[in-house]
Amino acid sequence: MNMSFTTCSARAMLLGATLALGPSALVAQGQDLHTMSRDNNQWVMTGRTYDLQRYSPLNQITRDNVKTLHPAWTMSTGTLRGHEGNPLVVGNVMYVHTSFPNKVYALDLTKEGAPQIWSFTPEQPADVIPIACCDVVNRGLAYHPSGKLYIELLSGDLLALDAKTGKQIFRVKSADYKKGETMTNAPIVIRDVVITGISGGEFGVRGRVTAFSATDGKELWRAYSTGPDADVKITANTLKSPYPSAQGKDLGVSTWKGDEWTRGGGTTWGWYSYDPELNLFYYSTGNPGAWNPDQRLGDNKWSMTIFARNPQTGEARWAYQMTPHDAWDYDGVNENILVDQNIGGKMTKTLVHFDRNGFGYTLDRTNGRVLVANAYGPVNWAKGIDLKTGRPIEDPTKRTTAKGNTEGICPAAIGFKDQQPAAYSPQTNLFYVPANNICMDYEGVEVKYAAGQPYVGAIVRMFPGPGGNRGRFIAWDATQGKVVWEKKEPLAAYGGALTTAGNLVFYGTMEGWLKALDAKTGEEVWKFKTPSGIIGNPMTYMGPDGKQYLAVLSGIGGWAGIGVAAGIGAEDPTAGLGALGAFGDAGQFTNQGGVLTVFALDGAMGGGKR
């Protein structure tokens, strides 16, 4: 249950006072990030809590009163390209990030309209812009209780800022954009370690995660997605897998043709989760390079893989490959949501993952065994997942090749879900998945590698899936692997989901609608048209006035919205790596523009203390 107004206000003022004392006060009081995330009033990491459930226990906004939800204040972010991710709220301060050049703002929630406390614009070279495959997005900030903010810069640096003043603390190199490596994902802070990823799977890069000291930016370890076991940080003592196909030495080399693993993709630009009890963090790797599967025979490990690693050492505990020898660009980086669920009468530590390949996976997160795996859309490239082997049961007529054009593959390369994160509600025990409904034709072509140049090797044309609607929003039972209800959308539901204790689920659409549904029934109970298409994730927090607020970034872009974001015409349906074939008309529904919109119920003041 939510706290009373008096208790909430007192707690907010106490935390605000603590923040005013400086970062050392938080450390002295034992406020580690895991503890801070349990404060219902705040939103201190990208998914609110390490498990990435994106669930808030706040319950002032309900089905009964959500109809009075209205904009309390807005803010222009100052950039026009795609806005993914969501703000953070620590105490009485909101931290906002933007697309390139990755501006960061601190806003004072105690004052009307939340004016700026500080802003910081990092200097970055403009020639990094065309290196970003699918828009110059950024998925968010990370916070450390010592009072530091971290952001991964598109040009390849990890930047640390003083959360109180906005001054740069350090800036360290993690990737080289001149080789095609960029950085777009939100880092994760675990104790005194900051873990970053890279993008660039379409440029022949070699994916990896890299850990830095939260204090001074010193590199602590690096774990690659491809290559020999030493590079992937796999040892006989640490990696345990229930599947024979994941057992063996140096599979990151032997499952590739020649030296293709050296430019094998497997990038790590998705969302990261963490189980403090197991001390394991979870992430997934992306598609292998090139997109032409004929150039890289074999399983191509460890692309398309969910990894569980020790955050202090980087050593792999287990690895599960979802799409061996990917021939469809089913980039596997989508979030891994951690939930304890009753599977077959036994409470199990599960990990739930909605992959681009169209299957919803429920795994035992202690060992990587697949417990449930069913399609959450009209999949036709595979007939199912063999639970004994963990491998897909492919339809050979839908496997792509450079020998011809393979038609009518579902889902498309953009997947039945891309970067837009799902959410979970402990009230309903359901997962809420913003989804695409897109299929494709795909033809591989021979491509030569050159550092810093596109290394794609495929011609892709995307188009609406069965029924003609290009999006869906579904409720999913991960214990049974089935859709409980769904709502169709004209365009993709390309923004993330949020669940709350008010029995509501929120999500955004490419047209710019922010919607609220009844979490049990799926009935739409409220919507508001924001200034631009939503590809960001709604979040909620308790203001210093004791009122619950809802916030979302709008700003069309990302892969689905690249036509609008980058001004690409719809004449060529294969442009934008095929996205223009499916979303070439998006500009008829929305325009560019980065805007933060914060909503409140009637009676809330929109900032400031009562």
Side-chain angles (χ1 to χ4, degrees), residues 11 147 159 283 289 306 347 364 367 455 461 464 575-576 582 589:
R11 187 167 188 178
L159 172 67
Y283 70 100
I306 300 174
M347 287 303 296
D364 183 328
N367 58 25
Y455 188 61
R461 184 180 72 87
F589 302 94

Side-chain angles (χ1 to χ4, degrees), residues 20-93:
L21 292 175
S24 61
L26 281 174
V27 176
Q29 295 184 22
Q31 284 272 9
D32 64 86
L33 195 59
H34 182 45
T35 301
M36 292 180 69
S37 71
R38 295 178 179 178
D39 185 332
N40 299 343
N41 301 332
Q42 304 186 100
W43 195 289
V44 300
M45 61 182 78
T46 186
R48 197 185 79 83
T49 46
Y50 275 128
D51 51 30
L52 287 187
Q53 292 183 13
R54 297 186 181 273
Y55 168 78
S56 172
L58 298 181
N59 62 4
Q60 286 187 3
I61 302 172
T62 68
R63 176 193 167 97
D64 294 333
N65 62 22
V66 69
K67 59 182 177 293
T68 73
L69 204 61
H70 63 274
W73 55 272
T74 62
M75 170 195 166
S76 171
T77 67
T79 68
L80 294 177
R81 299 292 287 266
H83 281 59
E84 295 180 355
N86 50 262
L88 303 183
V89 170
V90 183
N92 293 326
V93 180

